[in-house]
Amino acid sequence: MNKQLKRILKTILPIALGVFFVWYWYNSTSPSDRQQILYYIKQADLFWVGISMALGILGHVSRAVRWNYLLKPLGYQPRLSNNVLIILMSYFANLGVPRMGDLLRAPALATYEGVPVEKGFGTIVTERVIDVLMLFSIIAITFLLHTDIILGYLQEIGFPLNKIILLLTMGLVGLAIFTLFIKKSKHQFAIKIKDFVTGLMEGVLSIFKMKNKWPFILHTFFIWGCYIGMLWVIKFTVAETIVLSLSQLMVAFVAGALAMMFTNGGIGLYPIAVSKALAIFGISNISGDAFGWIMWTSQTLMIVIFGAISFLILPLLNRNR
């Protein structure tokens, strides 16, 4: 398979998958259900929707501040306004092509702030590693808080838990054997993997050596707090979800976060995943679907509006540089 075909597939498949999930959701709901879901969406309190979008913007601003903490030890301190606009622009680009935004951030920073592409990209990779660790931590905490309920729900819908546990055990054993092989092997492939993992670990551990490590860590928690807060306030837009606790909504947050990995911006899959997660706690499909679509629409609208504005403002703001 040539590189051009791979690029085309990487672009088309997530979009096609998103369209499929929209079609699946549409065909799995009755006309009366869709009408009621649409009614709930239209009746959603715009105050809480606005709060959710504001939390999203605060999270992006905090991410821009945090980015400078990684760039400062390299001898660069871009203007915060440029960082914010580049980040918003990158999220907007991700809606079209997965991970395209991350590829655009480093060249944009080089263009407007003179930061070498390889150094800018290195800080972005470090950011992503930290965010993945945060997501895994949230998934682990959420599972521990609701182990019995989640396992019970999976059994109820026919998930073969015994086989899943067996596969996970085999996977862990396989990973241990593979790690041992890579550690002792002197093959070129093994050396590349060791160098890659070592580089990632050095990037993560370098955070604890930086001058502003505690502000960096606090901003990391604040960013993810904003993400969770975006979803939490949406519960006030649907009558049936108001009673849900933060720990219960964390299950929906995890389901939505995982859904975002498979389609562009979670299109189609995000509302379905969130609705299924809320069903664990007795929320009806109609209310769950309405919650999911309100959340997805508000965050996508935020990215589209502010991302498009960033594309226009960024070159104008730096026209004299």
Side-chain angles (χ1 to χ4, degrees):
M1 187 181 293
N2 59 48
K3 291 182 179 180
Q4 186 176 0
L5 181 58
K6 285 183 179 180
R7 284 197 297 267
I8 293 172
L9 289 175
K10 285 180 180 179
T11 302
I12 293 176
L13 285 180
I15 296 173
L17 191 60
V19 171
F20 166 76
F21 280 117
V22 172
W23 172 86
Y24 170 81
W25 172 83
Y26 185 87
N27 283 275
S28 63
T29 53
S30 65
S32 60
D33 286 347
R34 290 195 296 271
Q35 187 175 2
Q36 196 168 355
I37 291 167
L38 186 60
Y39 172 78
Y40 283 159
I41 293 173
K42 288 180 178 179
Q43 293 298 311
D45 191 335
L46 292 180
F47 171 78
W48 294 112
V49 174
I51 293 294
S52 179
M53 294 172 74
L55 285 170
I57 293 297
L58 283 174
H60 294 320
V61 172
S62 181
R63 183 177 289 277
V65 174
R66 189 184 71 167
W67 195 10
N68 265 353
Y69 290 140
L70 290 173
L71 290 164
K72 192 173 182 179
L74 302 177
Y76 303 95
Q77 193 165 6
R79 288 189 295 175
L80 181 61
S81 57
N82 277 345
N83 278 9
V84 172
L85 293 173
I86 290 171
I87 286 170
L88 289 170
M89 184 179 69
S90 71
Y91 278 94
F92 181 58
N94 283 339
L95 294 177
V97 181
R99 305 269 63 91
M100 177 58 71
D102 288 341
L103 297 177
L104 288 176
R105 276 176 66 182
L109 193 67
T111 300
Y112 298 113
E113 291 290 348
V115 179
V117 172
E118 64 277 9
K119 291 186 178 181
F121 190 70
T123 61
I124 294 166
V125 171
T126 302
E127 268 195 339
R128 288 307 178 193
V129 171
I130 297 299
D131 288 335
V132 168
L133 291 175
M134 284 296 296
L135 178 58
F136 283 167
S137 298
I138 290 171
I139 290 172
I141 292 169
T142 302
F143 185 78
L144 289 173
L145 287 172
H146 299 285
T147 304
D148 293 339
I149 295 174
I150 293 172
L151 291 179
Y153 178 77
L154 291 175
Q155 286 180 326
E156 186 181 327
I157 63 176
F159 254 71
L161 291 180
N162 292 335
K163 292 182 179 179
I164 291 174
I165 292 171
L166 179 61
L167 285 173
L168 286 173
T169 303
M170 290 173 63
L172 289 172
V173 172
L175 180 62
I177 294 172
F178 179 74
T179 302
L180 187 63
F181 167 76
I182 292 296
K183 192 173 181 180
K184 293 187 175 182
S185 176
K186 294 183 179 179
H187 192 275
Q188 189 176 1
F189 174 72
I191 292 172
K192 284 184 178 179
I193 292 179
K194 280 189 283 190
D195 289 342
F196 176 73
V197 173
T198 301
L200 288 180
M201 290 305 298
E202 285 178 356
V204 174
L205 294 175
S206 66
I207 292 166
F208 297 98
K209 298 176 183 177
M210 68 168 63
K211 185 178 180 180
N212 297 304
K213 62 181 177 181
W214 292 116
F216 181 94
I217 293 169
L218 287 173
H219 273 284
T220 299
F221 281 106
F222 181 78
I223 291 165
W224 282 87
C226 285
Y227 292 165
I228 295 169
M230 286 175 68
L231 184 132
W232 182 77
V233 298
I234 292 296
K235 79 172 189 172
F236 297 108
T237 64
V238 180
E240 195 178 345
T241 61
I242 292 176
V243 298
L244 291 172
S245 67
L246 177 60
S247 67
Q248 291 172 328
L249 285 167
M250 289 289 288
V251 179
F253 176 83
V254 169
L258 294 176
M260 297 286 281
M261 298 179 182
F262 293 98
T263 61
N264 293 22
I267 183 172
L269 184 57
Y270 184 93
I272 295 172
V274 168
S275 181
K276 296 298 182 185
L278 294 179
I280 296 175
F281 304 102
I283 302 299
S284 66
N285 289 335
I286 291 173
S287 292
D289 284 359
F291 181 102
W293 280 108
I294 292 169
M295 179 62 195
W296 181 83
T297 303
S298 63
Q299 64 178 322
T300 303
L301 191 62
M302 175 195 69
I303 292 299
V304 169
I305 293 173
F306 290 100
I309 291 173
S310 297
F311 263 111
L312 296 173
I313 292 180
L314 188 61
L316 294 175
L317 193 66
N318 294 275
R319 62 183 180 274
N320 296 324
R321 301 190 73 183

Coordinates of all heavy atoms in Angstrom, one line a residue, residues 128-210:
R128 N 1.1 15.4 24.6 CA 0.2 14.3 24.3 C 0.4 13.1 25.2 O -0.5 12.4 25.6 CB 0.3 13.9 22.8 CG -0.3 14.9 21.8 CD -1.7 15.2 22.2 NE -2.3 16.2 21.3 CZ -3.4 16.8 21.5 NH1 -4.1 16.6 22.7 NH2 -3.9 17.7 20.7
V129 N 1.7 12.9 25.5 CA 2.0 11.8 26.4 C 1.4 12.0 27.8 O 0.8 11.1 28.4 CB 3.5 11.6 26.6 CG1 3.9 10.6 27.7 CG2 4.1 11.1 25.2
I130 N 1.5 13.3 28.3 CA 0.9 13.7 29.6 C -0.6 13.5 29.5 O -1.2 13.0 30.5 CB 1.3 15.1 29.9 CG1 2.8 15.3 30.1 CG2 0.6 15.6 31.2 CD1 3.4 14.4 31.2
D131 N -1.2 13.9 28.4 CA -2.7 13.8 28.3 C -3.1 12.4 28.3 O -4.2 12.1 28.8 CB -3.1 14.6 27.1 CG -3.0 16.1 27.2 OD1 -3.1 16.6 28.4 OD2 -2.9 16.8 26.2
V132 N -2.4 11.5 27.6 CA -2.7 10.1 27.6 C -2.7 9.5 29.0 O -3.5 8.7 29.4 CB -1.8 9.3 26.6 CG1 -2.0 7.8 26.8 CG2 -2.1 9.7 25.1
L133 N -1.6 9.9 29.7 CA -1.5 9.4 31.1 C -2.6 9.9 32.0 O -3.2 9.1 32.8 CB -0.2 9.9 31.7 CG 1.1 9.2 31.1 CD1 2.4 9.9 31.7 CD2 1.1 7.7 31.4
M134 N -3.1 11.1 31.8 CA -4.2 11.7 32.5 C -5.5 10.9 32.1 O -6.3 10.6 33.0 CB -4.4 13.2 32.2 CG -3.4 14.1 32.9 SD -3.6 14.1 34.7 CE -5.2 14.8 34.9
L135 N -5.7 10.6 30.9 CA -6.9 9.9 30.4 C -6.9 8.5 31.0 O -7.9 8.1 31.6 CB -6.9 9.8 28.9 CG -8.1 9.1 28.3 CD1 -9.5 9.7 28.8 CD2 -8.1 9.0 26.8
F136 N -5.8 7.8 31.0 CA -5.7 6.5 31.6 C -6.0 6.5 33.1 O -6.6 5.6 33.6 CB -4.3 5.9 31.3 CG -4.1 5.3 29.9 CD1 -2.9 5.0 29.4 CD2 -5.2 5.2 29.1 CE1 -2.7 4.5 28.1 CE2 -5.1 4.7 27.8 CZ -3.8 4.4 27.3
S137 N -5.5 7.6 33.7 CA -5.7 7.7 35.2 C -7.2 7.9 35.5 O -7.7 7.3 36.4 CB -4.9 8.9 35.7 OG -3.5 8.7 35.6
I138 N -7.9 8.7 34.7 CA -9.3 9.0 34.8 C -10.1 7.7 34.6 O -11.0 7.4 35.3 CB -9.7 10.1 33.9 CG1 -9.2 11.4 34.4 CG2 -11.3 10.2 33.8 CD1 -9.4 12.6 33.4
I139 N -9.7 6.9 33.5 CA -10.4 5.7 33.2 C -10.2 4.7 34.4 O -11.2 4.1 34.8 CB -9.8 5.0 31.9 CG1 -10.1 5.9 30.7 CG2 -10.3 3.6 31.8 CD1 -9.4 5.4 29.4
A140 N -9.0 4.6 35.0 CA -8.8 3.7 36.1 C -9.6 4.1 37.3 O -10.2 3.2 37.9 CB -7.3 3.7 36.4
I141 N -9.6 5.4 37.6 CA -10.4 5.9 38.8 C -11.8 5.6 38.6 O -12.5 5.2 39.5 CB -10.1 7.4 39.0 CG1 -8.6 7.6 39.5 CG2 -11.1 8.0 40.0 CD1 -8.2 9.0 39.5
T142 N -12.4 5.9 37.4 CA -13.8 5.7 37.1 C -14.2 4.2 37.2 O -15.2 3.9 37.8 CB -14.1 6.2 35.7 OG1 -13.7 7.6 35.6 CG2 -15.6 6.1 35.3
F143 N -13.3 3.4 36.7 CA -13.6 1.9 36.8 C -13.6 1.4 38.2 O -14.5 0.6 38.6 CB -12.6 1.1 36.0 CG -12.9 -0.3 35.9 CD1 -13.8 -0.8 35.0 CD2 -12.2 -1.3 36.7 CE1 -14.1 -2.2 35.0 CE2 -12.5 -2.6 36.6 CZ -13.4 -3.1 35.8
L144 N -12.7 1.9 39.0 CA -12.6 1.6 40.4 C -13.9 2.1 41.2 O -14.4 1.4 42.1 CB -11.3 2.1 41.1 CG -10.0 1.5 40.7 CD1 -8.9 2.2 41.3 CD2 -10.0 0.0 41.1
L145 N -14.4 3.2 40.8 CA -15.5 3.8 41.5 C -16.8 3.0 41.2 O -17.7 3.0 42.0 CB -15.7 5.3 41.1 CG -14.7 6.3 41.7 CD1 -14.9 7.6 41.1 CD2 -14.9 6.4 43.2
H146 N -16.9 2.5 40.0 CA -18.1 1.8 39.5 C -17.9 0.4 38.9 O -18.5 0.0 38.0 CB -18.8 2.7 38.4 CG -19.1 4.0 38.9 ND1 -20.2 4.3 39.7 CD2 -18.6 5.3 38.7 CE1 -20.3 5.6 40.0 NE2 -19.3 6.2 39.4
T147 N -16.9 -0.3 39.5 CA -16.6 -1.6 39.0 C -17.8 -2.6 38.9 O -18.0 -3.2 37.9 CB -15.5 -2.3 39.9 OG1 -14.4 -1.4 40.0 CG2 -15.1 -3.6 39.3
D148 N -18.5 -2.7 40.0 CA -19.7 -3.6 40.0 C -20.7 -3.2 39.0 O -21.3 -4.1 38.3 CB -20.3 -3.7 41.4 CG -19.3 -4.3 42.5 OD1 -18.4 -5.0 42.0 OD2 -19.5 -4.0 43.7
I149 N -21.0 -2.0 38.9 CA -22.1 -1.5 38.0 C -21.7 -1.7 36.6 O -22.4 -2.2 35.7 CB -22.4 0.0 38.3 CG1 -23.0 0.2 39.7 CG2 -23.4 0.5 37.2 CD1 -23.2 1.6 40.1
I150 N -20.4 -1.4 36.3 CA -19.9 -1.5 34.9 C -19.9 -2.9 34.5 O -20.3 -3.3 33.4 CB -18.5 -0.8 34.7 CG1 -18.6 0.7 34.9 CG2 -17.9 -1.1 33.3 CD1 -17.3 1.4 35.0
L151 N -19.3 -3.8 35.3 CA -19.2 -5.2 35.0 C -20.6 -5.8 34.9 O -20.9 -6.7 34.0 CB -18.4 -6.0 36.1 CG -16.9 -5.7 36.1 CD1 -16.2 -6.4 37.2 CD2 -16.3 -6.0 34.8
G152 N -21.5 -5.4 35.8 CA -22.9 -5.9 35.7 C -23.6 -5.5 34.4 O -24.3 -6.3 33.8
Y153 N -23.4 -4.3 34.0 CA -24.0 -3.8 32.7 C -23.4 -4.6 31.5 O -24.2 -5.0 30.6 CB -23.7 -2.3 32.6 CG -24.3 -1.8 31.3 CD1 -25.7 -1.5 31.1 CD2 -23.5 -1.5 30.2 CE1 -26.2 -1.0 29.9 CE2 -24.0 -1.0 29.0 CZ -25.3 -0.8 28.9 OH -25.8 -0.3 27.7
L154 N -22.1 -4.8 31.5 CA -21.5 -5.6 30.4 C -22.1 -7.0 30.4 O -22.3 -7.5 29.3 CB -20.0 -5.6 30.6 CG -19.3 -4.3 30.4 CD1 -17.8 -4.4 30.7 CD2 -19.5 -3.7 29.0
Q155 N -22.3 -7.6 31.5 CA -22.9 -9.0 31.5 C -24.3 -8.9 31.0 O -24.8 -9.8 30.3 CB -22.8 -9.5 33.0 CG -21.4 -10.0 33.4 CD -21.4 -10.5 34.8 OE1 -22.2 -10.1 35.7 NE2 -20.6 -11.5 35.1
E156 N -25.0 -7.9 31.4 CA -26.4 -7.7 31.0 C -26.6 -7.6 29.5 O -27.5 -8.2 28.9 CB -27.0 -6.5 31.7 CG -28.5 -6.3 31.5 CD -29.0 -5.1 32.1 OE1 -28.5 -4.7 33.2 OE2 -30.0 -4.4 31.6
I157 N -25.7 -6.9 28.8 CA -25.8 -6.7 27.4 C -25.0 -7.9 26.6 O -24.9 -7.8 25.4 CB -25.2 -5.4 26.9 CG1 -23.7 -5.2 27.3 CG2 -26.0 -4.2 27.6 CD1 -23.1 -4.0 26.7
G158 N -24.6 -8.9 27.4 CA -24.0 -10.0 26.7 C -22.5 -10.0 26.4 O -22.0 -10.8 25.6
F159 N -21.8 -9.1 27.1 CA -20.3 -9.1 26.9 C -19.7 -10.3 27.5 O -20.0 -10.6 28.7 CB -19.7 -7.8 27.5 CG -19.3 -6.8 26.5 CD1 -20.3 -6.1 25.8 CD2 -18.0 -6.5 26.2 CE1 -19.9 -5.1 24.8 CE2 -17.6 -5.6 25.3 CZ -18.6 -4.9 24.6
P160 N -18.9 -11.1 26.8 CA -18.2 -12.3 27.4 C -17.1 -11.9 28.3 O -15.9 -11.8 27.9 CB -17.7 -13.0 26.1 CG -17.5 -11.9 25.1 CD -18.5 -10.9 25.4
L161 N -17.4 -11.5 29.6 CA -16.4 -11.0 30.5 C -15.3 -12.0 30.7 O -14.1 -11.6 30.8 CB -17.1 -10.7 31.8 CG -18.0 -9.5 31.8 CD1 -18.6 -9.3 33.2 CD2 -17.3 -8.2 31.4
N162 N -15.6 -13.3 30.8 CA -14.6 -14.3 31.1 C -13.5 -14.3 29.9 O -12.3 -14.4 30.2 CB -15.2 -15.7 31.2 CG -16.0 -15.8 32.4 OD1 -15.8 -15.1 33.4 ND2 -17.0 -16.7 32.4
K163 N -14.0 -14.2 28.7 CA -13.1 -14.1 27.6 C -12.3 -12.9 27.5 O -11.1 -12.9 27.2 CB -13.9 -14.3 26.3 CG -14.5 -15.7 26.1 CD -15.3 -15.8 24.8 CE -15.9 -17.2 24.6 NZ -16.6 -17.3 23.3
I164 N -13.0 -11.7 27.9 CA -12.3 -10.5 27.9 C -11.1 -10.5 29.0 O -10.0 -10.0 28.7 CB -13.3 -9.3 28.2 CG1 -14.2 -9.1 27.1 CG2 -12.5 -8.0 28.5 CD1 -15.3 -8.1 27.3
I165 N -11.5 -11.0 30.2 CA -10.4 -11.1 31.2 C -9.3 -12.0 30.8 O -8.1 -11.7 31.0 CB -11.1 -11.7 32.5 CG1 -12.0 -10.6 33.1 CG2 -10.0 -12.0 33.6 CD1 -12.9 -11.1 34.3
L166 N -9.6 -13.1 30.1 CA -8.6 -14.0 29.6 C -7.7 -13.3 28.5 O -6.5 -13.5 28.6 CB -9.3 -15.3 29.0 CG -8.3 -16.3 28.3 CD1 -7.4 -16.9 29.4 CD2 -9.1 -17.4 27.7
L167 N -8.4 -12.6 27.6 CA -7.6 -11.9 26.6 C -6.7 -10.8 27.2 O -5.6 -10.6 26.8 CB -8.6 -11.2 25.6 CG -9.2 -12.2 24.6 CD1 -10.3 -11.4 23.8 CD2 -8.2 -12.8 23.7
L168 N -7.2 -10.1 28.2 CA -6.4 -9.1 28.9 C -5.2 -9.7 29.6 O -4.1 -9.2 29.6 CB -7.3 -8.3 29.9 CG -8.3 -7.3 29.4 CD1 -9.2 -6.8 30.5 CD2 -7.6 -6.2 28.6
T169 N -5.5 -10.8 30.3 CA -4.4 -11.6 30.9 C -3.3 -12.0 29.9 O -2.1 -11.8 30.2 CB -4.9 -12.8 31.7 OG1 -5.9 -12.4 32.6 CG2 -3.8 -13.5 32.5
M170 N -3.8 -12.6 28.8 CA -2.9 -13.0 27.8 C -2.1 -11.8 27.2 O -0.9 -11.9 26.9 CB -3.6 -13.7 26.6 CG -4.2 -15.1 27.1 SD -5.2 -15.8 25.8 CE -4.1 -16.0 24.4
G171 N -2.8 -10.7 27.1 CA -2.2 -9.5 26.5 C -1.1 -9.0 27.5 O 0.0 -8.6 27.0
L172 N -1.4 -9.0 28.8 CA -0.4 -8.5 29.8 C 0.9 -9.4 29.8 O 2.0 -9.0 29.9 CB -1.0 -8.5 31.2 CG -2.0 -7.4 31.4 CD1 -2.7 -7.5 32.7 CD2 -1.4 -6.0 31.3
V173 N 0.6 -10.8 29.7 CA 1.7 -11.7 29.6 C 2.5 -11.5 28.4 O 3.8 -11.5 28.4 CB 1.2 -13.2 29.7 CG1 2.3 -14.2 29.4 CG2 0.5 -13.5 31.0
G174 N 1.8 -11.3 27.2 CA 2.5 -11.0 26.0 C 3.3 -9.8 26.0 O 4.4 -9.7 25.5
L175 N 2.7 -8.7 26.6 CA 3.5 -7.5 26.8 C 4.7 -7.6 27.6 O 5.8 -7.1 27.3 CB 2.5 -6.4 27.4 CG 3.1 -5.0 27.6 CD1 3.5 -4.4 26.3 CD2 2.1 -4.1 28.3
A176 N 4.6 -8.4 28.7 CA 5.8 -8.7 29.6 C 6.9 -9.4 28.8 O 8.1 -9.0 28.9 CB 5.3 -9.5 30.8
I177 N 6.5 -10.4 28.0 CA 7.5 -11.2 27.2 C 8.1 -10.3 26.2 O 9.3 -10.3 26.0 CB 6.8 -12.4 26.6 CG1 6.3 -13.4 27.6 CG2 7.7 -13.1 25.6 CD1 5.5 -14.5 27.1
F178 N 7.3 -9.4 25.5 CA 7.7 -8.5 24.5 C 8.7 -7.5 25.0 O 9.8 -7.2 24.5 CB 6.6 -7.8 23.8 CG 7.0 -6.9 22.7 CD1 7.4 -7.3 21.5 CD2 6.9 -5.5 22.9 CE1 7.8 -6.4 20.5 CE2 7.3 -4.6 21.9 CZ 7.7 -5.1 20.7
T179 N 8.4 -7.0 26.2 CA 9.2 -6.0 26.9 C 10.6 -6.6 27.3 O 11.6 -6.0 27.1 CB 8.5 -5.5 28.2 OG1 7.3 -4.9 27.8 CG2 9.4 -4.4 28.9
L180 N 10.5 -7.8 27.8 CA 11.8 -8.5 28.1 C 12.6 -8.8 26.9 O 13.9 -8.6 26.9 CB 11.4 -9.9 28.8 CG 12.6 -10.7 29.4 CD1 13.3 -9.9 30.5 CD2 12.1 -12.0 29.9
F181 N 12.0 -9.2 25.8 CA 12.7 -9.4 24.5 C 13.4 -8.1 24.0 O 14.5 -8.1 23.6 CB 11.7 -10.0 23.5 CG 12.3 -9.9 22.1 CD1 13.2 -10.9 21.7 CD2 11.9 -9.0 21.1 CE1 13.8 -10.9 20.4 CE2 12.4 -8.9 19.9 CZ 13.4 -9.9 19.5
I182 N 12.6 -7.0 24.0 CA 13.1 -5.7 23.5 C 14.3 -5.2 24.4 O 15.3 -4.7 23.9 CB 12.0 -4.7 23.5 CG1 10.9 -5.0 22.5 CG2 12.5 -3.3 23.3 CD1 11.4 -5.0 21.0
K183 N 14.1 -5.5 25.7 CA 15.2 -5.0 26.7 C 16.5 -5.7 26.4 O 17.6 -5.1 26.5 CB 14.7 -5.3 28.1 CG 15.5 -4.6 29.2 CD 14.9 -4.7 30.5 CE 15.7 -4.0 31.6 NZ 15.1 -4.2 32.9
K184 N 16.4 -7.0 26.1 CA 17.7 -7.8 25.9 C 18.2 -7.9 24.5 O 19.3 -8.2 24.3 CB 17.4 -9.2 26.5 CG 17.2 -9.3 28.0 CD 17.2 -10.7 28.5 CE 17.1 -10.8 30.0 NZ 17.1 -12.2 30.5
S185 N 17.3 -7.6 23.5 CA 17.6 -7.7 22.1 C 18.6 -6.6 21.7 O 18.4 -5.5 22.1 CB 16.4 -7.8 21.3 OG 16.7 -7.8 19.9
K186 N 19.5 -6.9 20.7 CA 20.3 -5.9 20.1 C 20.0 -5.7 18.7 O 20.7 -5.1 17.9 CB 21.8 -6.4 20.3 CG 22.3 -6.4 21.7 CD 23.7 -6.8 21.8 CE 24.2 -6.8 23.2 NZ 25.7 -7.2 23.3
H187 N 18.8 -6.2 18.3 CA 18.3 -6.0 16.9 C 18.0 -4.5 16.7 O 17.6 -3.8 17.6 CB 17.1 -6.8 16.7 CG 16.7 -6.9 15.2 ND1 15.9 -6.0 14.6 CD2 16.9 -7.9 14.3 CE1 15.7 -6.3 13.4 NE2 16.3 -7.4 13.1
Q188 N 18.2 -4.0 15.4 CA 18.0 -2.6 15.1 C 16.5 -2.2 15.5 O 16.3 -1.1 15.9 CB 18.3 -2.4 13.6 CG 18.3 -0.9 13.3 CD 18.7 -0.7 11.8 OE1 18.9 -1.6 11.1 NE2 18.7 0.6 11.4
F189 N 15.6 -3.0 15.2 CA 14.2 -2.7 15.5 C 14.0 -2.5 17.0 O 13.3 -1.6 17.4 CB 13.3 -3.8 15.0 CG 11.8 -3.7 15.3 CD1 11.0 -2.7 14.7 CD2 11.2 -4.5 16.3 CE1 9.7 -2.6 15.1 CE2 9.9 -4.4 16.7 CZ 9.1 -3.4 16.1
A190 N 14.5 -3.4 17.8 CA 14.4 -3.3 19.2 C 15.1 -2.1 19.8 O 14.6 -1.4 20.7 CB 15.1 -4.6 19.9
I191 N 16.2 -1.7 19.2 CA 17.0 -0.5 19.6 C 16.1 0.7 19.3 O 16.1 1.7 20.1 CB 18.3 -0.4 18.9 CG1 19.3 -1.6 19.4 CG2 19.0 0.9 19.1 CD1 20.5 -1.7 18.6
K192 N 15.5 0.8 18.1 CA 14.6 1.9 17.8 C 13.5 2.1 18.8 O 13.1 3.2 19.2 CB 14.1 1.7 16.4 CG 15.1 2.0 15.3 CD 14.4 1.9 13.9 CE 15.4 2.2 12.8 NZ 14.8 2.1 11.5
I193 N 12.9 0.9 19.2 CA 11.8 1.0 20.1 C 12.3 1.5 21.5 O 11.6 2.3 22.2 CB 11.1 -0.4 20.3 CG1 10.4 -0.8 19.0 CG2 10.1 -0.4 21.5 CD1 9.7 -2.1 19.0
K194 N 13.4 0.9 21.9 CA 14.0 1.4 23.2 C 14.3 2.9 23.2 O 14.1 3.6 24.2 CB 15.3 0.6 23.5 CG 15.0 -0.8 24.1 CD 16.3 -1.5 24.6 CE 17.1 -2.0 23.4 NZ 18.2 -2.9 23.9
D195 N 14.9 3.4 22.1 CA 15.2 4.8 22.0 C 13.9 5.6 22.0 O 13.9 6.7 22.6 CB 16.0 5.1 20.7 CG 17.4 4.5 20.7 OD1 17.9 4.2 21.8 OD2 18.0 4.3 19.6
F196 N 12.9 5.1 21.3 CA 11.6 5.9 21.3 C 11.0 5.9 22.7 O 10.6 7.0 23.2 CB 10.6 5.2 20.4 CG 9.3 5.8 20.3 CD1 9.1 7.0 19.7 CD2 8.2 5.1 20.9 CE1 7.8 7.6 19.6 CE2 6.9 5.7 20.9 CZ 6.7 6.9 20.2
V197 N 10.9 4.8 23.4 CA 10.4 4.8 24.7 C 11.2 5.6 25.7 O 10.7 6.3 26.5 CB 10.3 3.3 25.3 CG1 9.8 3.3 26.7 CG2 9.3 2.5 24.4
T198 N 12.5 5.5 25.6 CA 13.4 6.3 26.4 C 13.2 7.8 26.2 O 13.1 8.6 27.2 CB 14.9 6.0 26.1 OG1 15.1 4.6 26.3 CG2 15.8 6.8 27.0
G199 N 13.0 8.2 24.9 CA 12.8 9.6 24.6 C 11.4 10.1 25.2 O 11.4 11.2 25.8
L200 N 10.4 9.2 25.2 CA 9.1 9.6 25.7 C 9.2 9.7 27.3 O 8.7 10.7 27.8 CB 8.1 8.5 25.4 CG 7.6 8.5 24.0 CD1 6.5 7.4 23.8 CD2 7.0 9.8 23.5
M201 N 9.9 8.8 27.9 CA 10.1 8.9 29.3 C 10.9 10.1 29.8 O 10.6 10.7 30.8 CB 10.8 7.6 29.8 CG 9.9 6.3 29.7 SD 8.3 6.5 30.6 CE 8.8 6.7 32.3
E202 N 11.9 10.4 29.0 CA 12.7 11.6 29.3 C 11.9 12.9 29.2 O 12.0 13.8 30.0 CB 13.9 11.7 28.4 CG 15.0 10.7 28.7 CD 16.2 10.8 27.7 OE1 16.1 11.5 26.7 OE2 17.2 10.1 27.9
G203 N 11.0 12.9 28.1 CA 10.1 14.0 28.0 C 9.1 14.2 29.1 O 8.9 15.3 29.6
V204 N 8.6 13.0 29.6 CA 7.7 13.1 30.7 C 8.4 13.5 32.0 O 8.0 14.4 32.8 CB 7.0 11.7 30.9 CG1 6.1 11.8 32.2 CG2 6.1 11.4 29.7
L205 N 9.5 12.8 32.3 CA 10.3 13.1 33.5 C 10.9 14.5 33.5 O 11.2 15.1 34.6 CB 11.4 12.0 33.7 CG 10.9 10.6 33.9 CD1 12.0 9.6 34.0 CD2 10.1 10.5 35.2
S206 N 11.1 15.1 32.3 CA 11.7 16.4 32.3 C 10.8 17.5 32.9 O 11.2 18.5 33.3 CB 12.0 16.8 30.8 OG 10.8 16.9 30.1
I207 N 9.5 17.1 33.0 CA 8.5 18.0 33.6 C 8.9 18.3 35.0 O 8.7 19.4 35.5 CB 7.1 17.4 33.5 CG1 6.7 17.4 32.0 CG2 6.1 18.2 34.3 CD1 5.5 16.6 31.7
F208 N 9.3 17.2 35.7 CA 9.6 17.4 37.1 C 11.0 18.1 37.4 O 11.3 18.4 38.5 CB 9.7 16.0 37.8 CG 8.3 15.3 37.8 CD1 8.0 14.4 36.8 CD2 7.3 15.6 38.7 CE1 6.8 13.8 36.7 CE2 6.1 15.0 38.6 CZ 5.8 14.1 37.7
K209 N 11.7 18.3 36.3 CA 13.0 19.0 36.4 C 12.9 20.5 36.0 O 13.8 21.2 36.2 CB 14.1 18.3 35.5 CG 14.3 16.9 36.0 CD 15.3 16.2 35.0 CE 15.5 14.7 35.4 NZ 16.5 14.1 34.4
M210 N 11.8 20.8 35.4 CA 11.6 22.2 34.9 C 11.4 23.2 36.1 O 10.9 22.8 37.1 CB 10.5 22.3 33.9 CG 9.1 22.1 34.4 SD 7.8 22.6 33.3 CE 8.0 21.4 31.9

